mmCIF file of all heavy atoms in Angstrom:
data_model
loop_
_atom_site.group_PDB
_atom_site.id
_atom_site.type_symbol
_atom_site.label_atom_id
_atom_site.label_comp_id
_atom_site.label_asym_id
_atom_site.label_seq_id
_atom_site.Cartn_x
_atom_site.Cartn_y
_atom_site.Cartn_z
ATOM 1 N N HIS A 199 1.302 0.258 1.017
ATOM 2 C CA HIS A 199 2.696 -0.216 0.824
ATOM 3 C C HIS A 199 3.045 -0.163 -0.662
ATOM 4 O O HIS A 199 2.638 -1.030 -1.436
ATOM 5 C CB HIS A 199 2.821 -1.656 1.354
ATOM 6 C CG HIS A 199 4.191 -2.253 1.248
ATOM 7 N ND1 HIS A 199 4.749 -3.050 2.234
ATOM 8 C CD2 HIS A 199 5.142 -2.199 0.268
ATOM 9 C CE1 HIS A 199 5.960 -3.447 1.865
ATOM 10 N NE2 HIS A 199 6.217 -2.945 0.661
ATOM 11 N N HIS A 201 6.272 1.287 -3.624
ATOM 12 C CA HIS A 201 7.579 1.878 -3.952
ATOM 13 C C HIS A 201 7.357 2.603 -5.292
ATOM 14 O O HIS A 201 7.935 2.243 -6.310
ATOM 15 C CB HIS A 201 8.644 0.801 -4.109
ATOM 16 C CG HIS A 201 8.757 -0.175 -2.966
ATOM 17 N ND1 HIS A 201 9.838 -0.195 -2.116
ATOM 18 C CD2 HIS A 201 7.933 -1.179 -2.526
ATOM 19 C CE1 HIS A 201 9.692 -1.176 -1.216
ATOM 20 N NE2 HIS A 201 8.527 -1.783 -1.451
ATOM 21 N N ARG A 208 12.143 -3.205 -14.685
ATOM 22 C CA ARG A 208 13.216 -4.216 -14.691
ATOM 23 C C ARG A 208 12.738 -5.480 -15.401
ATOM 24 O O ARG A 208 12.832 -6.579 -14.865
ATOM 25 C CB ARG A 208 13.659 -4.514 -13.242
ATOM 26 C CG ARG A 208 14.076 -3.271 -12.465
ATOM 27 C CD ARG A 208 15.120 -3.531 -11.384
ATOM 28 N NE ARG A 208 14.830 -4.585 -10.466
ATOM 29 C CZ ARG A 208 14.428 -4.416 -9.177
ATOM 30 N NH1 ARG A 208 14.251 -3.193 -8.683
ATOM 31 N NH2 ARG A 208 14.218 -5.456 -8.401
ATOM 32 N N GLU A 211 15.010 -8.606 -15.705
ATOM 33 C CA GLU A 211 15.056 -9.575 -14.591
ATOM 34 C C GLU A 211 13.858 -10.536 -14.641
ATOM 35 O O GLU A 211 13.949 -11.693 -14.222
ATOM 36 C CB GLU A 211 15.057 -8.834 -13.244
ATOM 37 C CG GLU A 211 16.318 -8.018 -13.032
ATOM 38 C CD GLU A 211 16.302 -7.232 -11.733
ATOM 39 O OE1 GLU A 211 15.373 -7.396 -10.916
ATOM 40 O OE2 GLU A 211 17.233 -6.426 -11.541
ATOM 41 N N TYR A 221 14.541 -14.580 -7.452
ATOM 42 C CA TYR A 221 14.649 -13.165 -7.063
ATOM 43 C C TYR A 221 15.950 -12.939 -6.277
ATOM 44 O O TYR A 221 16.680 -11.982 -6.530
ATOM 45 C CB TYR A 221 13.414 -12.807 -6.223
ATOM 46 C CG TYR A 221 13.354 -11.385 -5.730
ATOM 47 C CD1 TYR A 221 12.947 -10.353 -6.559
ATOM 48 C CD2 TYR A 221 13.696 -11.077 -4.407
ATOM 49 C CE1 TYR A 221 12.888 -9.046 -6.105
ATOM 50 C CE2 TYR A 221 13.639 -9.783 -3.940
ATOM 51 C CZ TYR A 221 13.221 -8.767 -4.792
ATOM 52 O OH TYR A 221 13.171 -7.475 -4.323
ATOM 53 N N GLY A 230 18.373 -6.610 -9.032
ATOM 54 C CA GLY A 230 17.407 -6.328 -7.975
ATOM 55 C C GLY A 230 17.430 -4.878 -7.536
ATOM 56 O O GLY A 230 17.553 -3.962 -8.346
ATOM 57 N N ILE A 231 17.367 -4.685 -6.228
ATOM 58 C CA ILE A 231 17.262 -3.331 -5.668
ATOM 59 C C ILE A 231 18.439 -2.468 -6.133
ATOM 60 O O ILE A 231 18.260 -1.311 -6.532
ATOM 61 C CB ILE A 231 17.176 -3.413 -4.122
ATOM 62 C CG1 ILE A 231 15.873 -4.116 -3.711
ATOM 63 C CG2 ILE A 231 17.260 -2.021 -3.496
ATOM 64 C CD1 ILE A 231 15.804 -4.547 -2.253
ATOM 65 N N LEU A 232 19.652 -3.042 -6.138
ATOM 66 C CA LEU A 232 20.835 -2.247 -6.518
ATOM 67 C C LEU A 232 20.800 -1.811 -7.987
ATOM 68 O O LEU A 232 21.328 -0.753 -8.353
ATOM 69 C CB LEU A 232 22.124 -3.013 -6.214
ATOM 70 C CG LEU A 232 22.409 -3.231 -4.727
ATOM 71 C CD1 LEU A 232 23.753 -3.911 -4.524
ATOM 72 C CD2 LEU A 232 22.366 -1.915 -3.928
ATOM 73 N N SER A 234 18.019 -0.897 -9.442
ATOM 74 C CA SER A 234 17.160 0.298 -9.387
ATOM 75 C C SER A 234 17.892 1.493 -8.780
ATOM 76 O O SER A 234 17.637 2.638 -9.137
ATOM 77 C CB SER A 234 15.890 0.021 -8.569
ATOM 78 O OG SER A 234 15.016 -0.792 -9.316
ATOM 79 N N LYS A 268 7.356 4.709 -0.520
ATOM 80 C CA LYS A 268 8.643 4.564 0.172
ATOM 81 C C LYS A 268 9.802 5.120 -0.638
ATOM 82 O O LYS A 268 9.754 5.118 -1.860
ATOM 83 C CB LYS A 268 8.945 3.080 0.401
ATOM 84 C CG LYS A 268 7.907 2.401 1.257
ATOM 85 C CD LYS A 268 8.137 0.893 1.318
ATOM 86 C CE LYS A 268 6.908 0.169 1.817
ATOM 87 N NZ LYS A 268 6.457 0.558 3.143
ATOM 88 N N GLY A 270 14.134 4.341 -0.811
ATOM 89 C CA GLY A 270 14.797 3.047 -0.754
ATOM 90 C C GLY A 270 15.527 2.646 -2.015
ATOM 91 O O GLY A 270 16.144 1.572 -2.059
ATOM 92 N N TYR A 271 15.457 3.489 -3.040
ATOM 93 C CA TYR A 271 16.260 3.225 -4.236
ATOM 94 C C TYR A 271 17.367 4.271 -4.390
ATOM 95 O O TYR A 271 17.965 4.404 -5.449
ATOM 96 C CB TYR A 271 15.383 3.203 -5.497
ATOM 97 C CG TYR A 271 14.424 2.037 -5.565
ATOM 98 C CD1 TYR A 271 13.056 2.235 -5.780
ATOM 99 C CD2 TYR A 271 14.882 0.730 -5.412
ATOM 100 C CE1 TYR A 271 12.171 1.174 -5.842
ATOM 101 C CE2 TYR A 271 13.999 -0.352 -5.461
ATOM 102 C CZ TYR A 271 12.645 -0.122 -5.685
ATOM 103 O OH TYR A 271 11.781 -1.185 -5.741
ATOM 104 N N LEU A 301 12.981 4.514 3.612
ATOM 105 C CA LEU A 301 13.476 3.136 3.539
ATOM 106 C C LEU A 301 14.960 3.122 3.143
ATOM 107 O O LEU A 301 15.364 2.462 2.193
ATOM 108 C CB LEU A 301 12.587 2.321 2.565
ATOM 109 C CG LEU A 301 12.922 0.863 2.240
ATOM 110 C CD1 LEU A 301 13.046 -0.012 3.475
ATOM 111 C CD2 LEU A 301 11.880 0.263 1.299
ATOM 112 N N HIS A 304 16.997 -0.444 2.715
ATOM 113 C CA HIS A 304 16.367 -1.345 1.738
ATOM 114 C C HIS A 304 17.386 -2.386 1.270
ATOM 115 O O HIS A 304 17.044 -3.527 0.989
ATOM 116 C CB HIS A 304 15.852 -0.515 0.557
ATOM 117 C CG HIS A 304 14.798 -1.206 -0.265
ATOM 118 N ND1 HIS A 304 14.337 -0.690 -1.443
ATOM 119 C CD2 HIS A 304 14.118 -2.362 -0.073
ATOM 120 C CE1 HIS A 304 13.430 -1.501 -1.950
ATOM 121 N NE2 HIS A 304 13.273 -2.526 -1.130
ATOM 122 N N ASP A 339 11.184 2.481 7.563
ATOM 123 C CA ASP A 339 11.043 1.076 7.157
ATOM 124 C C ASP A 339 12.435 0.469 7.012
ATOM 125 O O ASP A 339 13.436 1.201 6.895
ATOM 126 C CB ASP A 339 10.290 1.046 5.804
ATOM 127 C CG ASP A 339 9.836 -0.326 5.329
ATOM 128 O OD1 ASP A 339 10.180 -1.337 5.964
ATOM 129 O OD2 ASP A 339 9.125 -0.374 4.305
ATOM 130 N N PHE A 341 14.231 -3.431 5.310
ATOM 131 C CA PHE A 341 14.045 -4.774 4.742
ATOM 132 C C PHE A 341 14.809 -5.734 5.656
ATOM 133 O O PHE A 341 16.014 -5.923 5.528
ATOM 134 C CB PHE A 341 14.587 -4.784 3.311
ATOM 135 C CG PHE A 341 14.362 -6.063 2.536
ATOM 136 C CD1 PHE A 341 13.448 -7.026 2.949
ATOM 137 C CD2 PHE A 341 15.051 -6.291 1.349
ATOM 138 C CE1 PHE A 341 13.241 -8.197 2.216
ATOM 139 C CE2 PHE A 341 14.854 -7.453 0.602
ATOM 140 C CZ PHE A 341 13.954 -8.399 1.042
ATOM 141 N N GLU A 343 15.745 -9.047 6.635
ATOM 142 C CA GLU A 343 15.744 -10.319 5.908
ATOM 143 C C GLU A 343 17.158 -10.866 5.848
ATOM 144 O O GLU A 343 18.132 -10.093 5.882
ATOM 145 C CB GLU A 343 15.199 -10.051 4.495
ATOM 146 C CG GLU A 343 14.888 -11.266 3.664
ATOM 147 C CD GLU A 343 13.858 -12.186 4.320
ATOM 148 O OE1 GLU A 343 12.702 -11.769 4.573
ATOM 149 O OE2 GLU A 343 14.231 -13.330 4.589
ATOM 150 N N TYR A 346 20.021 -9.098 4.016
ATOM 151 C CA TYR A 346 19.745 -7.660 4.028
ATOM 152 C C TYR A 346 20.012 -7.154 5.448
ATOM 153 O O TYR A 346 21.114 -7.303 5.947
ATOM 154 C CB TYR A 346 18.322 -7.383 3.504
ATOM 155 C CG TYR A 346 18.191 -7.738 2.032
ATOM 156 C CD1 TYR A 346 17.942 -9.048 1.627
ATOM 157 C CD2 TYR A 346 18.373 -6.778 1.037
ATOM 158 C CE1 TYR A 346 17.869 -9.389 0.279
ATOM 159 C CE2 TYR A 346 18.303 -7.099 -0.316
ATOM 160 C CZ TYR A 346 18.047 -8.413 -0.682
ATOM 161 O OH TYR A 346 17.984 -8.736 -2.022
ATOM 162 N N HIS A 369 9.381 -4.325 6.380
ATOM 163 C CA HIS A 369 9.428 -5.485 5.483
ATOM 164 C C HIS A 369 10.002 -6.654 6.291
ATOM 165 O O HIS A 369 11.195 -6.652 6.612
ATOM 166 C CB HIS A 369 10.382 -5.230 4.324
ATOM 167 C CG HIS A 369 9.855 -4.355 3.228
ATOM 168 N ND1 HIS A 369 9.732 -3.007 3.334
ATOM 169 C CD2 HIS A 369 9.442 -4.676 1.966
ATOM 170 C CE1 HIS A 369 9.255 -2.518 2.192
ATOM 171 N NE2 HIS A 369 9.078 -3.501 1.341
ATOM 172 N N GLN A 372 9.648 -12.133 4.490
ATOM 173 C CA GLN A 372 9.346 -12.413 3.081
ATOM 174 C C GLN A 372 9.918 -13.786 2.704
ATOM 175 O O GLN A 372 9.267 -14.565 2.011
ATOM 176 C CB GLN A 372 9.943 -11.321 2.179
ATOM 177 C CG GLN A 372 9.591 -11.528 0.696
ATOM 178 C CD GLN A 372 10.099 -10.407 -0.204
ATOM 179 O OE1 GLN A 372 10.740 -9.455 0.248
ATOM 180 N NE2 GLN A 372 9.804 -10.509 -1.482
ATOM 181 N N PHE A 373 11.146 -14.040 3.186
ATOM 182 C CA PHE A 373 11.776 -15.320 2.843
ATOM 183 C C PHE A 373 12.084 -16.174 4.069
ATOM 184 O O PHE A 373 12.114 -17.387 3.983
ATOM 185 C CB PHE A 373 13.071 -15.069 2.054
ATOM 186 C CG PHE A 373 12.840 -14.306 0.768
ATOM 187 C CD1 PHE A 373 13.221 -12.979 0.638
ATOM 188 C CD2 PHE A 373 12.208 -14.925 -0.308
ATOM 189 C CE1 PHE A 373 12.993 -12.280 -0.543
ATOM 190 C CE2 PHE A 373 11.981 -14.239 -1.496
ATOM 191 C CZ PHE A 373 12.371 -12.908 -1.611
ATOM 192 N N GLU A 391 5.030 -6.228 7.355
ATOM 193 C CA GLU A 391 4.486 -6.385 6.014
ATOM 194 C C GLU A 391 5.250 -7.441 5.210
ATOM 195 O O GLU A 391 6.432 -7.635 5.423
ATOM 196 C CB GLU A 391 4.496 -5.010 5.323
ATOM 197 C CG GLU A 391 4.152 -3.881 6.319
ATOM 198 C CD GLU A 391 3.545 -2.629 5.726
ATOM 199 O OE1 GLU A 391 3.536 -2.493 4.508
ATOM 200 O OE2 GLU A 391 3.062 -1.788 6.518
ATOM 201 N N HIS A 392 4.577 -8.105 4.333
ATOM 202 C CA HIS A 392 5.006 -9.283 3.539
ATOM 203 C C HIS A 392 4.482 -10.546 4.214
ATOM 204 O O HIS A 392 3.479 -11.086 3.802
ATOM 205 C CB HIS A 392 6.530 -9.365 3.329
ATOM 206 C CG HIS A 392 7.006 -8.660 2.097
ATOM 207 N ND1 HIS A 392 6.757 -9.119 0.839
ATOM 208 C CD2 HIS A 392 7.708 -7.521 1.939
ATOM 209 C CE1 HIS A 392 7.298 -8.295 -0.060
ATOM 210 N NE2 HIS A 392 7.860 -7.304 0.590
ATOM 211 N N GLU A 394 5.189 -13.706 4.159
ATOM 212 C CA GLU A 394 4.950 -14.917 3.368
ATOM 213 C C GLU A 394 5.341 -16.166 4.159
ATOM 214 O O GLU A 394 4.813 -17.256 3.916
ATOM 215 C CB GLU A 394 5.752 -14.866 2.057
ATOM 216 C CG GLU A 394 5.227 -13.879 1.019
ATOM 217 C CD GLU A 394 5.763 -12.460 1.207
ATOM 218 O OE1 GLU A 394 6.295 -12.127 2.299
ATOM 219 O OE2 GLU A 394 5.651 -11.657 0.257
ATOM 220 N N LEU A 414 0.859 -8.965 0.784
ATOM 221 C CA LEU A 414 1.175 -8.359 -0.516
ATOM 222 C C LEU A 414 1.096 -9.427 -1.605
ATOM 223 O O LEU A 414 2.128 -9.866 -2.147
ATOM 224 C CB LEU A 414 2.580 -7.728 -0.453
ATOM 225 C CG LEU A 414 2.817 -6.753 0.718
ATOM 226 C CD1 LEU A 414 4.306 -6.436 0.887
ATOM 227 C CD2 LEU A 414 2.030 -5.459 0.506
ATOM 228 N N CYS A 417 3.071 -9.521 -5.031
ATOM 229 C CA CYS A 417 4.489 -9.884 -4.961
ATOM 230 C C CYS A 417 4.617 -11.412 -4.992
ATOM 231 O O CYS A 417 5.443 -11.958 -5.729
ATOM 232 C CB CYS A 417 5.116 -9.291 -3.702
ATOM 233 S SG CYS A 417 6.777 -9.882 -3.355
ATOM 234 N N ILE A 421 6.710 -13.042 -8.185
ATOM 235 C CA ILE A 421 8.009 -13.735 -8.059
ATOM 236 C C ILE A 421 7.828 -15.176 -7.569
ATOM 237 O O ILE A 421 8.787 -15.839 -7.200
ATOM 238 C CB ILE A 421 9.043 -12.944 -7.207
ATOM 239 C CG1 ILE A 421 8.585 -12.740 -5.758
ATOM 240 C CG2 ILE A 421 9.369 -11.594 -7.846
ATOM 241 C CD1 ILE A 421 9.698 -12.201 -4.837
ATOM 242 N N ILE A 423 6.418 -16.806 -4.908
ATOM 243 C CA ILE A 423 6.769 -17.232 -3.544
ATOM 244 C C ILE A 423 5.455 -17.511 -2.818
ATOM 245 O O ILE A 423 4.381 -17.137 -3.331
ATOM 246 C CB ILE A 423 7.637 -16.163 -2.810
ATOM 247 C CG1 ILE A 423 6.903 -14.813 -2.690
ATOM 248 C CG2 ILE A 423 8.990 -15.991 -3.518
ATOM 249 C CD1 ILE A 423 7.651 -13.775 -1.822
ATOM 250 N N ASP A 443 2.347 -3.366 -2.938
ATOM 251 C CA ASP A 443 3.825 -3.459 -3.005
ATOM 252 C C ASP A 443 4.336 -2.983 -4.368
ATOM 253 O O ASP A 443 5.396 -3.430 -4.822
ATOM 254 C CB ASP A 443 4.325 -4.882 -2.717
ATOM 255 C CG ASP A 443 5.806 -4.947 -2.378
ATOM 256 O OD1 ASP A 443 6.382 -3.891 -2.078
ATOM 257 O OD2 ASP A 443 6.395 -6.046 -2.429
ATOM 258 N N TYR A 444 3.599 -2.125 -5.041
ATOM 259 C CA TYR A 444 3.980 -1.648 -6.378
ATOM 260 C C TYR A 444 5.466 -1.277 -6.412
ATOM 261 O O TYR A 444 5.912 -0.383 -5.695
ATOM 262 C CB TYR A 444 3.116 -0.424 -6.705
ATOM 263 C CG TYR A 444 3.164 0.058 -8.139
ATOM 264 C CD1 TYR A 444 3.915 -0.581 -9.120
ATOM 265 C CD2 TYR A 444 2.424 1.172 -8.516
ATOM 266 C CE1 TYR A 444 3.927 -0.122 -10.425
ATOM 267 C CE2 TYR A 444 2.432 1.647 -9.826
ATOM 268 C CZ TYR A 444 3.195 0.985 -10.774
ATOM 269 O OH TYR A 444 3.206 1.438 -12.060
ATOM 270 N N ASN A 445 6.254 -2.008 -7.204
ATOM 271 C CA ASN A 445 7.689 -1.720 -7.367
ATOM 272 C C ASN A 445 8.196 -2.410 -8.621
ATOM 273 O O ASN A 445 7.565 -3.342 -9.121
ATOM 274 C CB ASN A 445 8.461 -2.171 -6.108
ATOM 275 C CG ASN A 445 8.692 -3.673 -6.065
ATOM 276 O OD1 ASN A 445 9.551 -4.199 -6.742
ATOM 277 N ND2 ASN A 445 7.883 -4.379 -5.271
ATOM 278 N N PRO A 446 9.335 -1.973 -9.153
ATOM 279 C CA PRO A 446 9.777 -2.515 -10.440
ATOM 280 C C PRO A 446 10.364 -3.935 -10.382
ATOM 281 O O PRO A 446 10.573 -4.552 -11.422
ATOM 282 C CB PRO A 446 10.858 -1.519 -10.876
ATOM 283 C CG PRO A 446 11.385 -0.958 -9.600
ATOM 284 C CD PRO A 446 10.220 -0.905 -8.660
ATOM 285 N N GLY A 447 10.623 -4.441 -9.157
ATOM 286 C CA GLY A 447 11.273 -5.743 -9.066
ATOM 287 C C GLY A 447 10.327 -6.882 -8.761
ATOM 288 O O GLY A 447 10.293 -7.893 -9.455
ATOM 289 N N SER A 448 9.515 -6.728 -7.711
ATOM 290 C CA SER A 448 8.730 -7.877 -7.262
ATOM 291 C C SER A 448 7.222 -7.723 -7.437
ATOM 292 O O SER A 448 6.483 -8.669 -7.164
ATOM 293 C CB SER A 448 9.041 -8.164 -5.782
ATOM 294 O OG SER A 448 8.547 -7.124 -4.971
ATOM 295 N N SER A 449 6.782 -6.547 -7.888
ATOM 296 C CA SER A 449 5.335 -6.362 -8.068
ATOM 297 C C SER A 449 5.042 -5.138 -8.938
ATOM 298 O O SER A 449 4.647 -4.094 -8.428
ATOM 299 C CB SER A 449 4.646 -6.199 -6.695
ATOM 300 O OG SER A 449 3.264 -5.975 -6.882
HETATM 301 O O1 LIG B 612 8.767 -5.197 -1.063
HETATM 302 N N1 LIG B 612 11.525 -6.882 -0.512
HETATM 303 C C1 LIG B 612 11.990 -5.772 -0.553
HETATM 304 N N2 LIG B 612 11.583 -4.747 -1.297
HETATM 305 C C2 LIG B 612 10.630 -4.790 -2.362
HETATM 306 C C3 LIG B 612 11.221 -5.174 -3.662
HETATM 307 C C4 LIG B 612 12.123 -4.162 -4.163
HETATM 308 C C5 LIG B 612 12.706 -4.439 -5.504
HETATM 309 O O2 LIG B 612 12.883 -5.616 -5.919
HETATM 310 O O3 LIG B 612 12.977 -3.437 -6.163
HETATM 311 C C6 LIG B 612 9.456 -5.631 -1.960
HETATM 312 O O4 LIG B 612 9.188 -6.715 -2.523
#
Side-chain angles (χ1 to χ4, degrees):
H199 181 140
H201 308 250
R208 305 209 309 255
E211 294 177 6
Y221 180 79
I231 295 167
L232 293 184
S234 286
K268 299 173 197 301
Y271 292 127
L301 177 55
H304 200 188
D339 190 354
F341 185 16
E343 190 59 61
Y346 294 83
H369 282 75
Q372 183 176 1
F373 300 107
E391 323 206 350
H392 270 289
E394 288 86 344
L414 307 167
C417 170
I421 62 169
I423 60 173
D443 197 16
Y444 191 2
N445 78 77
S448 68
S449 178

